[in-house]
Amino acid sequence: MASQNLHKTIYEISRVINLSLKPGEVLSQIAEQTTKAMQAKGCFIRVLSHDGKTLEPGAYFGLSDRYAHKGPVEVEKSKLDQDVLKGEIVTIADVSEDDRFQYPKEAAEEGLRSLVVLPLSVGGDKVIGSIRVYSGEARTFDEEELDFLRCIANLSGLALENARMYSALKRAKQLADEYTYQVFED
């Protein structure tokens, strides 16, 4: 994998994050750019629910809608995601032979063989989701690829946190404007 291609992808993703505060739009671009840069079958970005029990779909690329909507990823039932939410990077050479995978039958039907999963974190240690990169053939991920994905995971976490903060500020301003209007108009 060419380092120049990975660096160019990081630049493009940083540019997208800088241009938009819409999480769906940003995460979709990240999933697509990551899939292409890694020459992978697909990429899936999931966001941890408010109660911390499930990983909700954020964006995906290269995977079928059937696979993307196969069912909820319940943290309690997925040893793989439990490890990732602790901050670990998990690689699986063959998902059909690994009991940490929650949906092995669906993965086989989708033609998925290997994967790497990384935590999306903010502030260094707060995990808010995960990014998965799937391969259709047996594959190991080298250190350069893992460094690239760490960078993408950190950028994704930053993009989500920025979007959340922007949304909260926008809502606070809206409430303040409504309050001001009521006080001074009455």
Side-chain angles (χ1 to χ4, degrees), residues 1-176:
M1 184 155 308
S3 293
Q4 186 177 9
N5 186 35
L6 298 179
H7 290 121
K8 183 178 177 186
T9 301
I10 291 169
Y11 168 77
E12 287 298 323
I13 288 173
S14 300
R15 191 179 65 76
V16 168
I17 290 170
N18 201 25
L19 290 175
S20 176
L21 289 170
K22 298 175 183 170
E25 182 178 303
V26 172
L27 293 180
S28 291
Q29 281 294 310
I30 291 171
E32 180 178 347
Q33 296 281 339
T34 300
T35 300
K36 291 177 179 176
M38 293 289 294
Q39 299 173 351
K41 180 167 178 61
C43 176
F44 209 131
I45 300 172
R46 294 184 182 275
V47 180
L48 192 62
S49 63
H50 291 290
D51 63 8
K53 293 182 179 179
T54 59
L55 284 163
E56 308 289 334
Y60 60 93
F61 181 82
L63 304 169
S64 70
D65 289 339
R66 179 183 47 82
Y67 184 75
H69 300 287
K70 64 190 174 304
V73 175
E74 299 175 55
V75 175
E76 185 177 83
K77 293 181 180 177
S78 175
K79 173 74 172 117
L80 174 135
D81 289 305
Q82 291 171 18
D83 291 343
V84 170
L85 292 175
K86 290 176 188 169
E88 295 177 27
I89 297 173
V90 176
T91 59
I92 297 177
D94 188 346
V95 295
S96 68
E97 296 178 0
D98 195 300
D99 63 355
R100 295 176 293 175
F101 206 72
Q102 188 179 351
Y103 293 100
K105 179 179 169 256
E106 290 80 359
E109 290 171 358
E110 185 73 9
L112 306 177
R113 182 83 186 268
S114 300
L115 86 149
V116 57
V117 190
L118 295 95
L120 302 183
S121 60
V122 293
D125 60 350
K126 180 183 173 190
V127 179
I128 60 170
S130 67
I131 182 169
R132 293 180 179 208
V133 176
Y134 299 92
S135 175
E137 63 277 343
R139 178 176 176 174
T140 56
F141 298 91
D142 64 33
E143 200 56 42
E144 183 180 24
E145 291 172 319
L146 293 178
D147 285 343
F148 167 75
L149 290 172
R150 282 185 194 100
C151 182
I152 298 302
N154 287 332
L155 288 171
S156 300
L158 181 65
L160 283 170
E161 191 67 7
N162 282 347
R164 286 180 181 169
M165 289 172 56
Y166 176 75
S167 179
L169 285 172
K170 189 175 172 181
R171 180 70 183 137
K173 182 183 180 323
Q174 183 181 26
L175 290 172

